[in-house]
Amino acid sequence: MRSCLFLGVLAVLLTSFATVSTAQSDMLGTARPVRGANRPAAPPEAYPASAPVSSSSGGITVSRDTKLTAGDEVTIKIVEDRDPMPLKTVVSDTGEVELNGLGRVPVSGKSSTEAESAISKYLTQKYYHRATVEVGVVRKAMGTVRRFKVSITGKVGRPGPQFFDEANPLTLTEAVTMSMTNSYSRTEKVRLTRGGRTTEHDVKAITKEGRTDLDVRLQDGDQIYVPTVVIRFGSE
């Protein structure tokens, strides 16, 4: 009888030591697993936000063949100076650029390449043993960009006029491509009429074979004609 009573008391004591109350668990900070519940997922690793990507200014691309005029904003860099910041200046009313205290050089009516040569020649005559000059056009003067027009006819989806200017020249291949040719357009026999004289050009070879040496830069008033593919039925 006493042994049974002793065993019962011992069991109660062991149970009380093994069991931790809800309040004690909260005080001790121990986790209370719940049946049927999943362990909460770890929070996602935080990554620093990426820097915003700057967009381009959206300005037009000025051809190096464009003639400089009074009011044009240009940059002039002398490579030998190793200056990362080129000189920014404006073509004066007299058609000259000021070389930051080194004098003035006339550039009006010259392309960027021709202006580079003129400035380099001036600097080597007066100040430098060697002067490699780079000229860039930042902005053309208002009202100095002349608009040109060519016309395209024949087997194309969009016949009619196409416009361009000195800052954005147009080639024969570009004009034919923009006119939306199709499988019935004979692009290897495109005819270009300029000043009363007609020449034939293989636009197909230019586009398919990369023969850019065969391409032609268009001029104001040019007329383009794309003939139709000749379809023959039966044997000859």
Side-chain angles (χ1 to χ4, degrees), residues 145-168:
V145 179
R146 183 185 171 192
R147 200 180 190 202
F148 301 129
K149 182 180 77 170
V150 297
S151 62
I152 184 165
T153 58
K155 194 62 179 179
V156 293
R158 291 180 179 176
Q162 292 188 17
F163 300 92
F164 63 101
D165 53 47
E166 288 185 353
N168 298 277

Side-chain angles (χ1 to χ4, degrees), residues 1 27 78 225 234:
M1 182 70 178
M27 291 177 62
I78 305 172
Y225 175 76

Side-chain angles (χ1 to χ4, degrees), residues 56-62 138:
S56 62
S57 61
I60 63 173
T61 301
V62 180
V138 179

Side-chain angles (χ1 to χ4, degrees), residues 9-70:
V9 173
L10 181 60
V12 172
L13 291 175
L14 292 174
T15 303
S16 63
F17 283 121
T19 305
V20 180
S21 68
T22 300
Q24 288 172 327
S25 298
D26 292 338
M27 291 177 62
L28 294 174
T30 57
R32 301 195 306 272
V34 180
R35 289 187 178 181
N38 296 325
R39 182 182 295 273
E45 184 177 356
Y47 294 92
S50 57
V53 179
S54 59
S55 59
S56 62
S57 61
I60 63 173
T61 301
V62 180
S63 170
R64 288 181 58 80
D65 292 330
T66 301
K67 303 300 182 181
L68 299 175
T69 58

Side-chain angles (χ1 to χ4, degrees), residues 104-116:
R104 292 171 172 262
V105 178
V107 296
S108 181
K110 293 180 170 61
S111 66
S112 297
T113 303
E114 293 169 341
E116 290 170 348

Side-chain angles (χ1 to χ4, degrees), residues 161-190:
Q162 292 188 17
F163 300 92
F164 63 101
D165 53 47
E166 288 185 353
N168 298 277
L170 185 68
T171 66
L172 175 63
T173 301
E174 292 170 339
V176 172
T177 301
M178 288 189 293
S179 68
M180 295 185 63
T181 58
N182 52 55
S183 58
Y184 297 102
S185 303
R186 196 176 184 186
T187 55
E188 70 272 18
K189 295 288 185 179
V190 174

